[in-house]
Amino acid sequence: MSQPNRLARGGRLDRSRELSFTFNGQSYRGYPGDTLASALLANGVDIVNRSFKYSRPRGIVAAGAEEPNAVVQLGSTEAAQVPNVRATQQALFEGLEARSTNGWPNVQRDLMGVIGKLGGQFMPPGFYYKTFMAPASMWMTYEKYIRKSAGLGRSPMEKDPDSYDHVNRHCDVLVIGAGPAGLSAALAAGRSGALVILADEQEEMGGSLLDSRELLDERPAEQWAAAALEELAGLDNVLLLPRTTANGYHDHNFVTLHERRTEHLGETAPQAGGRRQVRSRLHRVRAGRVVLATGAHERPLVYGNNDVPGNLQAGAVSSYIRRYGVVPGNKLVLSTSNDHAYRAALDWAESGREVVAIADARPEPAGELVEQARAKGIRIIPGAAVLEARGQNRVTGARVARVDLEGFRVAGEAESLECDTIASSGGYSPVIHLASHTGARPTWRDDILGFVPNLVEGVLAAGGAQGVYATSDVLADGWSSGARAAGETGFDALEAQLPHVEARHESGSVALYQVPHEKPTLRGPKQFVDLQNDVTAAAIEVATREGFESIEHVKRYTAMGFGTDQGKLGNINGMAIAARCLGRSIPEVGTTVFRPNYTPVTFGAVVGRHCRELFDPERYTAMHQWHVEHGAEFEDVGQWKRPWYFPRRVEGRMESMHEAVARECRAVREKVGILDASTLGKIDIQGPDAREFLGRVYTNKWAKLAPGRVRYGLMCKDDGMVMDDGTTSCLGENHFLMTTSTGGAATVLEWLEVWHQTEWPELEVYFNSVTDHWATMTVTGPEARKLLAEITDIDLDREAFKFMDWREGMVADVPARVFRISFTGELAYEINVQANYALHVWETLFAHGEKYDLTPYGTETMHVLRAEKGFIIAGQDTDGSVTPEDLGMYWAIGYDKPFSWIGKRALTRPDTARTDRKQLVGLKPRNPEVVLEEGAQIVFDPDHAIPMPMKGHVTSSYYSPTLDSGFALAVVKGGQQRMGETVYLPMADGQVHEAEIVSPIFVDPKGERQNV
Amino acid sequence: MFYIYCPYCGEHREEEEFHPKGEAHIVRPEDPETCSDEEWGDYLFFRNNPRGIHHEMWVHAVGCRKFFNITRNTATYAILETYRMGEAPSITAESRDDRASLDAPAETETAENQEGVRA
Amino acid sequence: MSNTVDDKIKTFDTRTTSRVPVESPLTYSYRRSGAPAPGKGSGAVLRERPFLGHLVLRGGAIVLDEALRAVLDISLPGEPQALVVDASGERSVQWISPDEWLLIVPGGEEFELENRLRGALGDAHFAITNVGGGQTVIDLEGDAASELLMKSVVYDVHPHHFPVGKGVTTVFAKTSVILRRPTETRWELVVRRSFADYIYRWLLDAGEEYAIGVER
């Protein structure tokens, strides 16, 4: 297929080979060096999308990141789908498949368009808020409809075959943008020896130099750019990142750069050297200084039907012609307020096509470019502007008239000109998005008719981003910014070396945003301000009439600058219109700020390598391999993978969880079981004040715990609420080993440190984590002593090694510390060995354990067994609102300790001392087959009208094979005084369970079994 | 993403290595038992939440594990100083007020400008 | 085996002289994820140095320095982030915090060393904790090693900022490591046992583009 708009030569293309691609199912051809947008224009594709709200046909407007319309969906397969890609930023590659994101059933013949034309009136500004306010229950329905018709692309439904990653970088100077300012800044900083990163979002670095008409040192600008890049590439201290967008500026000069490494090569990353390539990469850059050389976006003018395909930015016309060898039409009308835009007319004329006229809003345009146009015989209509475009699916003409800018009115008879392209320019808006991410408001400058950034410490702006536009000034500004940035990070910049650029005589610009029309804005043809969000000048006027005076409110109300567009083309025009309607100046109206990201970033790049198997750390104990080999089902406890239960194959089928847990529970109560308890936090505490410290952080007493003994301890915050519990063993007078819950390990260590470091630095004590050093295996059950005796030299005699003692000795030929503590209520030994030996000791226990039916059990059985004994789990039976007294653990409260330990004072606060607080109790369901739901609410009167007063909730609930019944722990208001009473648990399905309040200790209340 | 100078490590480190621990200089009353309920409640629950200069305690959790203090402007997120536990801040809201005669108008304007929403 | 210096502190030799099977923190990872052999094109080579003696020293710099010189003839690095390695390259001491140092010695030396240090330190306020079972050392070498680290740790590993003789505790992916640079070409990661597999899998995945290999 031919490319009707492709020029015979010119452009930075490789014309030696053609690429084929499809758009909306239609095949086209282009060249390496094209963007998808330039290739579409070359092929004469006018309509690339349907608009968001009115479903009007839309064409390509811009050539860069500011493109509002050509937002496409990429991907030939489900897995390769990428939404929200700007066609102007997507390099063409062989086989590229793209689709419009809007338009149903297609962009050419759009059903929504019909509705849009009618429905536009029903979609006034604020239409979300007005139309869909009520009934609220219908919002989901509305939303579905809106999303279907609006559509900004969709996510892939299949697994992404590519990989992504993050790189953490640090540099002295980060230069963002590699146009004339950025290149110059990078040269200044790079030659000084500073570590420099130069990032640019385009396929090629060079920015405006790539389509400039100017000569630098007597050479075409692009040649100077090439030489500068070559020099920079040769510097070891400079990193060039092309195809890399600086998407967010975060605190303290932290900038995220999104590098698209293979997006220009294909829809999935090709292999390189037989290895997987990373498709895109997020650079997390911490820079000493940031130089924003982000340039400026040309502001289109706001006139009637300025959204019809064929309306373009003037600068984009030049880019397409000079950089891509594409002239996007045959007959051009240019509407401008300044000299710069004349380049479009000159380039157009030089490509051999007709420039119908230039409507120049200035009464007496006289700059050098103006003279060049005159010399080419191009008709210039002074003091005029395009009022309105003609055409439906493509511009067919322009109505041009003289305009009175002061009076905002049309000042003469309109003339109709036949054309297929209208280029417009209202001047430039500095790209201040990144500076705006800092939260700093930009400042309006009347002399450049734009906002310039207010810069926070460490950030500099150069060139167009600062409102400096003449090439020689831009180069000088870039150099001085780069030199200053290097200087501020400790490097001496060299003498400036800048290319010579012929100074050009310019005539001044005039302020023109919205072009007046013969009809009032509300009745005239639609004048679009924000093309992506379909916001018109009329909508802004309506918003101001409805009382929205703050620009932030106008923005919210109209949706101007929302979403992926971030107001790149429309914001300033919108503010100018609001200012006009409100009778204020633009700085009085102010501007909105922009939020990250500057352009859309794929989730792949955001997530990087933190996905799938590497989503989150999985912590394993030293026996993990054994658990895997023995079929354990695992439970996540914090980041640990703990065996949950060990299902066995019984009579040809796998046990259910219920069956496995019942079997494991019986094994512990009747014979012997073994648990991997390595995940418990372990803190080694040394120092002469260790004991004193324990007395302050635990609720109970530690003064008399002798070496060789172990004690249970309860820890509160200073508000009196339980935070963690565990056992602490006295290893020596000044030496203790504290254990914490699995999830509490890091918290408790930090807790000890904060008190030591901030309140009691005079106490001589050190805390060190030994959680990973020791592996812990709990051997528990009536046969535990017999089993352990087979492989240890420790005297296990019940008098020599009592309950709550610890001893050291050899277990399976490995030095071990053995603690006689019990979380099951049975005889139990916790064996601790250095983790590297753990698997050997574990397997030796099994070798000897066969005759005792040694049964491995997991966390679920552990939970059932401990709950039967009324042992709490901090964080399950407590939730930060439970005191030791609420738990009924008066025995663990040292009321008369000399130091006012953490949590003590709060226990006498009126609220903490209330008698109707939720207190821990046991619940026995009337129906033993019922296992209550954890979290279920408890009421006293099941016949009370809804809402029923809630009197407590279930914290732990299981089936007990020992009791052959469901049972639960719960917190109930005043529960300790309600033993024997019946409570009710109304469930969502309408059932109401009945349960009796009982003691939380269900099995062996006297603790005889663990003491044997 | 803050860049925080750890006064113990003597260099700037990435925010990921730190945890914030709330307002700094909260001292546990010397003798809790003689505190009134109100005094104890103030110590437990009441914290300042100023716009502007604020002193915060942080811990270099993935690093030296030391607690230290930061003087931070909560409006601009600028970290004005960090100092070790037991040291006093050199910059306070009061010390900044002394200078306010010079840049008060600018400060007010900045504050106003920073209200509002983002797209 | 066990030795009580006095009744105040209980020291404990966790190593056995019996020949029993012993497993390093990466043993499971090799079984699970394999260990690609290093090749000519390997830009990064990983090697575990298991079963070393790891002691955490806590206390004042001056007394610890005196004791360490007397016992091991190594001076304690007083500056933050400093790492001192002895002439053999087998023993090192690293600043972790103003009152904390990590001492790594050949496996088996740590218990005797602890006792000798305790003897030298006498009545000073200090603590020594054996953590050898809880952490392991992973060496990383190769042209792409620092690039691989940039994908993994938040700390700046550029040679300007991370010269030989430096060591830091920092964030590695979603966990932490102690990262050290004992020589021009070799990085060391001191990793916690329970996180070792995650770190290993991360390094293999992030190192794939550099054809990472594992020496065993």
Side-chain angles (χ1 to χ4, degrees):
Chain A
M1 201 186 224
S2 69
Q3 300 176 36
N5 288 335
R6 183 77 71 184
L7 294 166
R9 62 189 152 291
R12 305 176 63 81
L13 303 170
D14 170 10
R15 297 198 189 226
S16 66
R17 64 194 174 99
E18 278 195 314
L19 301 173
S20 60
F21 70 101
T22 72
F23 180 67
N24 287 335
Q26 184 88 32
S27 293
Y28 300 101
R29 303 187 82 78
Y31 294 113
D34 262 327
T35 61
L36 174 58
S38 68
L40 286 170
L41 287 171
N43 284 278
V45 175
D46 294 331
I47 304 174
V48 295
N49 233 330
R50 286 274 167 175
S51 77
F52 170 69
K53 190 164 136 189
Y54 303 108
S55 206
R56 290 165 65 115
R58 290 284 163 79
I60 293 163
V61 167
E66 67 271 40
E67 171 60 36
N69 291 335
V71 178
V72 300
Q73 178 93 16
L74 289 187
S76 65
T77 64
E78 187 52 42
Q81 293 300 309
V82 185
N84 271 322
V85 175
R86 274 139 189 73
T88 49
Q89 294 190 294
Q90 175 60 52
L92 199 66
F93 56 78
E94 177 60 34
L96 181 149
E97 289 191 21
R99 305 196 156 268
S100 305
T101 50
N102 269 347
W104 176 74
N106 64 53
V107 288
Q108 299 294 332
R109 193 193 311 277
D110 187 300
L111 288 180
M112 284 301 297
V114 182
I115 301 167
K117 276 174 202 155
L118 301 169
Q121 288 134 44
F122 305 110
M123 289 188 174
F127 75 105
Y128 278 108
Y129 313 109
K130 285 177 178 167
T131 315
F132 303 125
M133 273 297 276
S137 59
M138 284 296 285
W139 170 249
M140 297 301 281
T141 313
Y142 294 141
E143 192 193 17
K144 216 179 281 175
Y145 163 82
I146 291 167
R147 289 218 182 274
K148 182 173 168 59
S149 54
L152 283 166
R154 62 181 189 84
S155 354
M157 303 298 285
E158 286 175 10
K159 187 174 158 172
D160 189 333
D162 283 317
S163 70
Y164 304 82
D165 68 11
H166 295 169
V167 175
N168 298 297
R169 293 191 183 278
H170 297 74
C171 66
D172 298 309
V173 180
L174 168 64
V175 181
I176 299 169
L183 285 175
S184 190
L187 283 172
R191 285 178 191 166
S192 78
L195 281 182
V196 177
I197 296 175
L198 175 62
D200 186 274
E201 64 171 357
Q202 297 193 21
E203 287 298 311
E204 277 188 280
M205 289 189 163
S208 64
L209 298 174
L210 300 180
D211 53 43
S212 171
R213 298 174 66 84
E214 289 183 282
L215 299 178
L216 276 61
D217 282 343
E218 322 293 325
R219 290 179 298 170
E222 57 192 307
Q223 287 182 21
W224 182 84
L229 283 166
E230 198 183 318
E231 179 184 339
L232 290 169
L235 294 175
D236 282 345
N237 55 321
V238 176
L239 174 69
L240 300 179
L241 292 174
R243 300 186 191 88
T244 301
T245 307
N247 269 302
Y249 176 96
H250 306 273
D251 301 302
H252 307 165
N253 277 359
F254 185 81
V255 183
T256 46
L257 307 178
H258 177 208
E259 182 190 14
R260 297 169 296 278
R261 294 168 66 83
T262 70
E263 261 93 337
H264 59 297
L265 300 173
E267 62 181 24
T268 56
Q271 298 243 320
R275 293 196 289 275
R276 198 168 54 140
Q277 283 197 78
V278 171
R279 175 173 178 166
S280 66
R281 179 167 279 173
L282 199 71
H283 299 265
R284 306 167 78 249
V285 181
R286 181 72 69 179
R289 289 291 178 272
V290 176
V291 178
L292 301 175
T294 46
H297 287 152
E298 192 171 35
R299 240 175 1 243
L301 293 171
V302 177
Y303 49 89
N305 297 326
N306 57 341
D307 67 324
V308 174
N311 284 286
L312 283 88
Q313 282 174 321
V317 168
S318 286
S319 292
Y320 284 118
I321 294 171
R322 300 186 70 88
R323 192 162 163 188
Y324 301 104
V326 174
V327 55
N330 289 305
K331 298 174 79 170
L332 174 76
V333 169
L334 172 68
S335 186
T336 179
S337 67
N338 57 72
D339 277 13
H340 297 278
Y342 276 73
R343 298 184 310 131
L346 295 169
D347 292 332
W348 192 279
E350 283 163 17
S351 63
R353 303 204 180 179
E354 183 187 353
V355 178
V356 178
I358 297 174
D360 193 321
R362 300 170 296 180
E364 290 169 8
E368 198 175 310
L369 291 171
V370 180
E371 294 311 324
Q372 286 179 27
R374 281 206 180 98
K376 285 191 191 294
I378 295 173
R379 179 184 170 201
I380 298 172
I381 313 172
V386 170
L387 305 186
E388 179 178 355
R390 302 266 194 194
Q392 291 281 332
N393 291 336
R394 172 81 199 202
V395 169
T396 57
R399 289 182 62 242
V400 177
R402 284 193 39 243
V403 289
D404 170 5
L405 301 182
E406 289 288 305
F408 189 65
R409 62 184 187 90
V410 177
E413 200 65 27
E415 176 183 0
S416 282
L417 300 173
E418 200 180 302
C419 65
D420 64 3
T421 305
I422 301 172
S424 78
S425 172
Y428 292 100
S429 300
V431 178
I432 57 172
H433 291 69
L434 289 170
S436 192
H437 294 172
T438 66
R441 292 276 164 153
T443 307
W444 178 260
R445 269 179 47 196
D446 268 328
D447 58 334
I448 62 151
L449 301 173
F451 281 103
V452 292
N454 262 323
L455 299 170
V456 297
E457 195 188 329
V459 183
L460 297 86
Q466 186 80 298
V468 175
Y469 300 129
T471 306
S472 56
D473 297 345
V474 169
L475 289 164
D477 196 34
W479 182 279
S480 68
S481 300
R484 200 180 122 201
E488 288 175 2
T489 52
F491 296 85
D492 292 328
L494 308 174
E495 190 80 13
Q497 282 180 296
L498 295 167
H500 172 74
V501 188
E502 202 68 54
R504 176 180 277 166
H505 166 67
E506 273 184 43
S507 51
S509 309
V510 289
L512 178 59
Y513 309 98
Q514 181 190 1
V515 178
H517 193 273
E518 292 97 335
K519 293 180 184 164
T521 302
L522 293 179
R523 275 187 238 133
K526 285 195 165 56
Q527 299 176 312
F528 285 90
V529 175
D530 177 339
L531 290 158
Q532 191 171 101
N533 295 297
D534 254 1
V535 179
T536 61
I540 293 167
E541 193 164 320
V542 168
T544 59
R545 287 190 185 190
E546 292 189 7
F548 294 95
E549 299 197 356
S550 155
I551 192 65
E552 297 285 8
H553 292 159
V554 170
K555 170 184 173 158
R556 285 280 143 191
Y557 198 55
T558 60
M560 176 177 76
F562 270 30
T564 70
D565 186 64
Q566 289 296 301
K568 294 183 185 77
L569 291 185
N571 253 29
I572 305 295
N573 285 331
M575 287 160 212
I577 293 163
R580 176 180 63 71
C581 296
L582 294 166
R584 297 182 192 158
S585 68
I586 291 180
E588 279 170 345
V589 168
T591 179
T592 58
V593 290
F594 309 98
R595 72 159 50 147
N597 287 318
Y598 176 66
T599 47
V601 181
T602 61
F603 277 107
V606 171
V607 168
R609 206 169 292 285
H610 299 284
C611 62
R612 299 171 192 157
E613 288 75 25
L614 293 169
F615 171 65
D616 206 40
E618 288 180 4
R619 300 179 70 180
Y620 300 139
T621 72
M623 289 82 95
H624 188 76
Q625 173 86 25
W626 192 95
H627 303 326
V628 172
E629 285 169 356
H630 289 77
E633 293 290 332
F634 289 93
E635 179 182 32
D636 291 339
V637 183
Q639 290 172 322
W640 289 97
K641 287 281 175 195
R642 295 195 71 178
W644 193 11
Y645 58 98
F646 291 86
R648 283 186 186 164
R649 185 166 286 282
V650 179
E651 290 165 7
R653 66 169 187 90
M654 289 307 281
E655 285 176 323
S656 68
M657 176 171 168
H658 179 80
E659 290 162 341
V661 170
R663 172 179 52 71
E664 291 171 13
C665 285
R666 278 194 298 271
V668 174
R669 293 267 182 252
E670 292 162 17
K671 291 184 171 168
V672 59
I674 184 166
L675 174 81
D676 181 352
S678 306
T679 61
L680 290 180
K682 298 178 260 319
I683 300 169
D684 180 67
I685 304 175
Q686 299 178 27
D689 293 321
R691 192 182 290 275
E692 169 66 21
F693 198 94
L694 290 175
R696 296 184 184 190
V697 296
Y698 273 133
T699 61
N700 48 334
K701 296 182 184 176
W702 295 86
K704 293 196 178 124
L705 186 71
R709 292 290 288 163
V710 186
R711 181 163 292 170
Y712 173 83
L714 200 54
M715 220 177 256
C716 283
K717 295 204 168 174
D718 231 348
D719 61 3
M721 304 302 156
V722 171
M723 69 171 277
D724 205 59
D725 66 346
T727 60
T728 290
S729 306
C730 183
L731 303 180
E733 254 329 293
N734 297 346
H735 196 181
F736 294 82
L737 181 70
M738 176 185 282
T739 66
T740 74
S741 64
T742 297
T747 319
V748 171
L749 181 60
E750 194 176 276
W751 181 248
L752 303 179
E753 286 289 351
V754 73
W755 286 99
H756 185 222
Q757 291 180 33
T758 69
E759 286 286 342
W760 310 316
E762 71 282 2
L763 294 187
E764 294 198 330
V765 59
Y766 286 113
F767 312 96
N768 286 294
S769 171
V770 288
T771 303
D772 283 38
H773 179 66
W774 299 101
T776 305
M777 41 208 99
T778 303
V779 178
T780 181
E783 308 274 29
R785 182 178 283 123
K786 269 195 263 174
L787 167 57
L788 182 56
E790 291 192 15
I791 58 166
T792 187
D793 61 359
I794 300 171
D795 181 359
L796 301 181
D797 179 83
R798 56 175 295 181
E799 292 307 320
F801 191 174
K802 294 196 187 71
F803 182 56
M804 299 307 268
D805 277 348
W806 72 271
R807 295 290 179 266
E808 62 186 38
M810 299 297 276
V811 175
D813 296 324
V814 172
R817 280 181 177 153
V818 179
F819 300 78
R820 232 196 109 180
I821 49 185
S822 176
F823 201 41
T824 60
E826 301 297 326
L827 172 65
Y829 298 94
E830 284 198 356
I831 303 161
N832 282 253
V833 296
Q834 204 229 54
N836 293 334
Y837 299 123
L839 190 62
H840 158 72
V841 175
W842 180 271
E843 286 181 333
T844 306
L845 282 163
F846 274 94
H848 290 262
E850 206 173 336
K851 52 185 164 299
Y852 306 106
D853 251 352
L854 177 64
T855 302
Y857 68 94
T859 50
E860 189 63 20
T861 293
M862 177 190 83
H863 278 217
V864 175
L865 297 173
R866 66 89 201 175
E868 288 175 346
K869 287 289 297 173
F871 295 147
I872 61 150
I873 289 188
Q876 173 157 349
D877 300 299
T878 69
D879 59 2
S881 71
V882 179
T883 69
E885 293 175 346
D886 295 340
L887 294 172
M889 293 168 76
Y890 299 94
W891 52 271
I893 306 174
Y895 290 104
D896 56 352
K897 285 198 284 181
F899 190 88
S900 184
W901 41 270
I902 298 171
K904 184 186 178 195
R905 172 63 185 83
L907 295 183
T908 53
R909 290 182 68 243
D911 185 64
T912 326
R914 276 189 293 118
T915 53
D916 65 339
R917 292 179 59 83
K918 285 186 180 179
Q919 295 165 335
L920 186 79
V921 295
L923 286 187
K924 195 152 192 200
R926 293 279 180 216
N927 177 353
E929 285 174 18
V930 166
V931 177
L932 299 170
E933 274 183 36
E934 289 179 354
Q937 292 292 321
I938 293 165
V939 302
F940 293 159
D941 176 6
D943 301 320
H944 193 288
I946 292 171
M948 300 181 187
M950 293 183 283
K951 298 295 187 182
H953 63 272
V954 176
T955 59
S956 295
S957 178
Y958 313 94
Y959 165 76
S960 162
T962 308
L963 306 170
D964 192 21
S965 167
F967 75 106
L969 300 179
V971 286
V972 175
K973 286 193 173 179
Q976 287 164 7
Q977 302 305 317
R978 293 181 177 272
M979 290 297 150
E981 290 183 20
T982 299
V983 295
Y984 303 88
L985 298 103
M987 306 308 297
D989 64 2
Q991 284 193 74
V992 177
H993 298 307
E994 266 182 61
E996 182 191 345
I997 297 182
V998 296
S999 154
I1001 307 173
F1002 291 85
V1003 169
D1004 187 25
K1006 290 189 181 147
E1008 287 160 345
R1009 299 178 66 89
Q1010 66 201 12
N1011 255 323
V1012 293
Chain B
M1 193 69 87
F2 291 171
Y3 205 33
I4 300 171
Y5 182 85
C6 172
Y8 296 99
C9 292
E11 60 179 24
H12 280 86
R13 305 285 280 260
E14 298 295 332
E15 185 181 325
E16 287 119 302
E17 296 184 0
F18 299 88
H19 293 161
K21 305 306 287 186
E23 186 178 344
H25 307 300
I26 302 292
V27 180
R28 190 177 200 250
E30 196 72 25
D31 184 1
E33 302 305 310
T34 60
C35 281
S36 69
D37 286 333
E38 195 180 342
E39 285 166 341
W40 192 251
D42 275 350
Y43 154 69
L44 283 183
F45 303 120
F46 287 85
R47 297 293 182 266
N48 289 320
N49 183 22
R51 179 189 178 80
I53 306 282
H54 189 41
H55 306 288
E56 299 165 341
M57 184 163 79
W58 287 65
V59 60
H60 194 180
V62 185
C64 66
R65 299 196 296 123
K66 292 297 177 209
F67 289 78
F68 62 97
N69 294 322
I70 286 180
T71 304
R72 188 169 74 88
N73 185 326
T74 59
T76 65
Y77 285 19
I79 292 176
L80 306 171
E81 62 177 339
T82 62
Y83 51 102
R84 295 178 181 213
M85 214 33 75
E87 294 175 352
S90 69
I91 300 166
T92 62
E94 291 73 32
S95 76
R96 278 293 155 113
D97 278 350
D98 297 341
R99 292 178 21 194
S101 53
L102 288 172
D103 48 21
E107 293 261 332
T108 322
E109 191 182 38
T110 312
E112 263 171 21
N113 282 345
Q114 279 161 350
E115 301 291 351
V117 290
R118 297 190 188 190
Chain C
M1 171 192 72
S2 114
N3 176 5
T4 305
V5 170
D6 53 39
D7 58 350
K8 299 212 167 83
I9 298 288
K10 190 79 172 170
T11 61
F12 188 55
D13 188 355
T14 57
R15 284 185 195 258
T16 182
T17 47
S18 305
R19 293 177 62 84
V20 299
V22 54
E23 291 212 327
S24 83
L26 285 189
T27 308
Y28 169 65
S29 307
Y30 296 146
R31 282 185 211 136
R32 178 191 185 185
S33 309
K40 265 198 169 151
S42 289
V45 176
L46 180 160
R47 183 190 322 105
E48 183 187 19
R49 287 197 291 128
F51 312 127
L52 300 178
H54 297 239
L55 295 176
V56 172
L57 310 185
R58 304 293 301 271
I62 294 169
V63 290
L64 287 175
D65 181 49
E66 278 177 15
L68 203 60
R69 281 170 198 260
V71 172
L72 211 54
D73 200 23
I74 297 185
S75 58
L76 191 82
E79 289 298 309
Q81 282 85 245
L83 167 73
V84 171
V85 184
D86 77 352
S88 70
E90 292 187 334
R91 292 168 197 82
S92 65
V93 58
Q94 180 188 351
W95 185 98
I96 299 290
S97 168
D99 61 0
E100 180 173 349
W101 286 262
L102 174 63
L103 185 54
I104 299 184
V105 296
E109 288 186 9
E110 69 274 16
F111 186 64
E112 196 208 332
L113 179 59
E114 177 182 348
N115 286 325
R116 288 174 61 199
L117 283 170
R118 286 187 180 279
L121 284 158
D123 286 340
H125 171 42
F126 69 95
I128 302 176
T129 305
N130 182 352
V131 294
Q135 50 197 37
T136 192
V137 176
I138 295 175
D139 280 358
L140 205 56
E141 287 183 277
D143 296 341
S146 64
E147 216 172 307
L148 176 54
L149 286 171
M150 286 166 76
K151 300 209 285 183
S152 312
V153 300
V154 299
Y155 194 81
D156 183 1
V157 297
H158 191 283
H160 289 186
H161 190 255
F162 207 133
V164 172
K166 192 167 185 176
V168 296
T169 306
T170 190
V171 173
F172 179 107
K174 288 188 187 168
T175 180
S176 63
V177 296
I178 294 172
L179 176 66
R180 304 135 56 98
R181 192 158 175 230
T183 72
E184 217 36 73
T185 56
R186 185 162 55 87
W187 296 86
E188 286 177 353
L189 280 67
V190 183
V191 307
R192 286 178 69 179
R193 174 181 249 284
S194 55
F195 289 102
D197 183 71
Y198 168 74
I199 289 168
Y200 181 76
R201 284 186 288 120
W202 178 280
L203 287 170
L204 287 196
D205 194 60
E208 189 181 332
E209 67 173 310
Y210 315 118
I212 190 168
V214 179
E215 269 182 14
R216 291 187 60 186

